[in-house]
Amino acid sequence: MKVYELQKVYFEEAYRTGEHGWPVTEPERFVMDFLKKNKRSLAGKRLLDIGSGEGRHTIAAAMEGLVAYGMDYQFLAVKRAIGFSKGKDIKGSLHFIAGDIFNIPFKDGAFDVLIDYGVLHHIKKPDAMDYINRLPLLLKERGYFILSCFSNRFKHYEGERRKRDWTAHRGHYDRFFKKKDLYEIFADTFEIIDVAEEINGLHAFYHILMRKR
Ligand SMILES: C[S@@+](CC[C@H](N)C(=O)[O-])C[C@H]1O[C@@H](n2cnc3c(N)ncnc32)[C@H](O)[C@@H]1O
């Protein structure tokens, strides 16, 4: 099986068993800080959470007054996200769809904010530019993009050594980024506003806030 087929099964299992390494309902502070800090200007604005999983950031955005769309290719995750949204104080509006990042079913310029929390680092390097090039097209003028991806300091286990900046293991693909990679990839199209590295035990991530140039 090719890596994306295996990876789809990996995410399917992750949601079926509930055993995955990222929080189910708790949104990340980096996202919440952005939503709270820009609350006034973001009210009624359109946000797409790409690879939204169980919807923690999509729901948070809708609760803060945005017109929030979550998209994921895992039906079970989308179903759970809809379930988690029940009874929440949604001040904007909330929409979930099943869809693939390689075929994002929205028009260019459809969004003011994009979120990718944990998807880009699962895209093979040769395919990533197709996805990355679509992002600024989906955004309106001066739209925001919030990205979270693995830092090259991320380790799966103590003592892990890698010769490359990617690995395929246990049915999925992981790519690791240095801060300078992020600038090389994004700085031409996006103004990079904030880059925070989070190190939590063996796990290390970059959280990046960008704005379309
Ligand atoms: C690490 S999880 C993060 C989920 C969510 N963003 C969060 O922060 O809770 C990555 C998500 O990307 C989704 N995903 C991976 N490849 C995808 C693809 N090709 N199209 C759509 N979603 C994808 C997975 O199903 C999974 O829900």
Side-chain angles (χ1 to χ4, degrees), residues 107-130:
K107 286 188 187 148
D108 288 355
F111 294 99
D112 302 280
V113 184
L114 300 177
I115 296 183
D116 172 336
Y117 242 76
V119 188
L120 173 64
H121 56 213
H122 294 305
I123 302 178
K124 284 161 70 176
K125 274 174 93 169
D127 303 327
M129 280 324 283
D130 277 355

Side-chain angles (χ1 to χ4, degrees), residues 4 7 11-12 15 20 22-24 28 49-57 71-74 77 99-102 115-119 121-123:
Y4 290 132
Q7 184 156 276
F11 282 117
E12 221 169 86
Y15 290 119
H20 57 63
W22 56 95
V24 177
E28 299 293 331
D49 183 7
I50 303 167
S52 48
E54 288 148 310
R56 58 190 177 126
H57 298 124
M71 187 195 84
D72 203 288
Y73 70 173
Q74 291 297 329
D100 197 296
I101 59 153
F102 292 115
I115 296 183
D116 172 336
Y117 242 76
V119 188
H121 56 213
H122 294 305
I123 302 178

Side-chain angles (χ1 to χ4, degrees), residues 118 121-122 148-154 156 162 172-178 182 197 203-206:
H121 56 213
H122 294 305
S148 179
C149 58
F150 292 139
S151 150
N152 69 324
R153 278 185 261 261
F154 186 101
H156 295 98
R162 293 184 297 262
H172 64 287
Y173 174 96
D174 291 333
R175 178 176 175 189
F176 307 93
F177 295 85
K178 291 184 181 149
L182 297 167
E197 190 177 20
H203 294 170
F205 304 89
Y206 279 115

Side-chain angles (χ1 to χ4, degrees), residues 151 153-160 199-205:
S151 150
R153 278 185 261 261
F154 186 101
K155 293 207 184 318
H156 295 98
Y157 52 87
E158 198 69 64
E160 181 183 18
I199 300 182
N200 188 353
L202 292 174
H203 294 170
F205 304 89

